[in-house]
Amino acid sequence: MSEDTLIYVGCQGWRYPDWRLASAEAVGDLSAPFYPPRLPAARELKHYARTFDLVEVDSTFYAVPQIRVVKNWATQVPETFRFTLKLPRTLTHEYRLARGRATLSAFCECARPLGVQLAAILIQLPPSFATDEFAALERFLPHLPADLPFAVEFRDPAWLSERTVELLAAHRIALTLGDTPWIPTPLALAWLDRLPTDWLYLRLMGSKSNGLEHFTHRQFDRTDTLDAWAAAVWRLAEGGKRVYVLLDNHFEGFSPGSATLLVRKLGLAERPFPHDCPAESEQLGLEW
């Protein structure tokens, strides 16, 4: 990946025990195990980055990370790798954007060490955050530091309006769209021509109501949805917009497989799942 890369594809998280397991039902090269059985948990991120160039960090949703932890993430991946971090739920779900300036400041200080490796900070709002709280969002956005990239995810489709886009554009905040239980693909696709910024945060989540118990292989074939998004992502990239695509295990049952399939559909350079455990002494520059 180079500095002018416009499409990044990865998974929503990298630490899943099921990614170490094989399934009797798994078929083909897009199934687990993604991690070798003997791989230490502390080296999972380094191993993950041999296949993908983007990851969404879910743990920051639950607590502000320690700066040393964030710096350690950066040492495990190539310089071309990108992270997205979730804003703590204290701000979005507990305070509902109405307070928490100290928490916001502490979080941003922890995010800054990633530098160019920080693709986005996701402001994930709860489904109950309805448009009658527009004023809360309006008051919150000016407090976001301009040197960090933010994207907001609404879980109420009523937020998709020209008024919302104008507000986000005024503060250079990206819109999050995708395939979710709240904003389905057909509705999301209709808003791609009205983005507030020159980049998009795209989340392909599927639904947690699909009955999945394990994430060991692709258990649903959602090729049509992937085709639709591959075409849309290419169209955005051709127009000069950057797109960060994050896939969830619930989308098809195994996000590394879904992400790799999307990479194929986009015609990007595909990196197969590595099944070896490189020696700890190997240098990053020799692994990528």
Side-chain angles (χ1 to χ4, degrees):
M1 291 288 173
S2 62
E3 289 299 320
D4 59 352
T5 298
L6 293 178
I7 303 173
Y8 291 81
V9 179
C11 302
Q12 294 177 26
W14 74 81
R15 181 157 291 177
Y16 297 99
D18 283 358
W19 288 9
R20 293 174 175 267
L21 306 175
S23 170
E25 302 173 25
V27 178
D29 61 340
L30 298 181
S31 301
F34 179 73
Y35 294 128
R38 300 188 310 277
L39 183 74
R43 297 182 61 200
E44 287 180 345
L45 176 58
K46 185 176 183 180
H47 190 91
Y48 170 95
R50 298 173 69 192
T51 299
F52 300 110
D53 52 34
L54 175 70
V55 75
E56 181 180 276
V57 182
D58 186 60
S59 61
T60 61
F61 182 67
Y62 301 98
V64 175
Q66 296 181 359
I67 291 182
R68 65 173 180 81
V69 172
V70 176
K71 289 182 176 179
N72 183 52
W73 292 338
T75 66
Q76 299 180 56
V77 299
E79 293 182 0
T80 52
F81 190 88
R82 297 292 181 264
F83 294 90
T84 71
L85 310 181
K86 286 186 179 180
L87 198 68
R89 64 180 176 181
T90 301
L91 295 168
T92 56
H93 290 54
E94 297 177 28
Y95 298 159
R96 302 182 77 84
L97 308 186
R99 58 193 179 95
R101 188 174 299 182
T103 301
L104 176 63
S105 177
F107 178 82
C108 291
E109 285 306 302
C110 289
R112 283 194 175 93
L114 289 176
V116 297
Q117 290 181 305
L118 178 63
I121 295 173
L122 177 63
I123 305 169
Q124 181 181 290
L125 297 173
S128 62
F129 195 90
T131 53
D132 60 2
E133 294 185 79
F134 189 94
L137 179 65
E138 197 171 30
R139 289 192 295 268
F140 176 75
L141 295 185
H143 293 288
L144 298 178
D147 65 314
L148 297 177
F150 290 88
V152 63
E153 179 185 49
F154 299 107
R155 295 190 166 185
D156 178 346
W159 279 98
L160 296 181
S161 68
E162 295 298 339
R163 183 188 185 201
T164 298
V165 170
E166 289 176 3
L167 175 63
L168 298 182
H171 296 281
R172 294 184 295 178
I173 307 299
L175 183 62
T176 302
L177 294 171
D179 185 88
T180 75
W182 309 276
I183 309 292
T185 286
L187 179 57
L189 289 173
W191 280 87
L192 293 183
D193 293 329
R194 289 172 280 184
L195 298 178
T197 60
D198 61 358
W199 63 281
L200 171 68
Y201 196 119
L202 177 57
R203 306 185 83 220
L204 303 184
M205 298 175 60
S207 173
K208 290 187 177 181
S209 64
N210 54 25
L212 288 175
E213 296 182 359
H214 299 287
F215 305 128
T216 56
H217 64 291
R218 293 176 62 233
Q219 297 156 67
F220 299 102
D221 185 353
R222 304 202 60 200
T223 301
D224 290 346
T225 301
L226 287 175
D227 285 340
W229 279 112
V233 168
W234 258 123
R235 187 166 60 251
L236 290 171
E238 288 177 342
K241 294 186 182 297
R242 181 169 284 106
V243 187
Y244 299 107
V245 190
L246 285 307
L247 293 99
D248 185 73
N249 281 316
H250 287 278
F251 182 72
E252 289 186 314
F254 182 56
S255 56
S258 300
T260 299
L261 184 56
L262 180 60
V263 166
R264 288 180 185 175
K265 291 179 178 296
L266 288 166
L268 303 177
E270 178 183 342
R271 293 178 298 212
F273 302 167
H275 297 298
D276 61 315
C277 289
E280 185 65 37
S281 59
E282 288 186 1
Q283 300 298 311
L284 285 176
L286 299 179
E287 293 189 30
W288 282 275

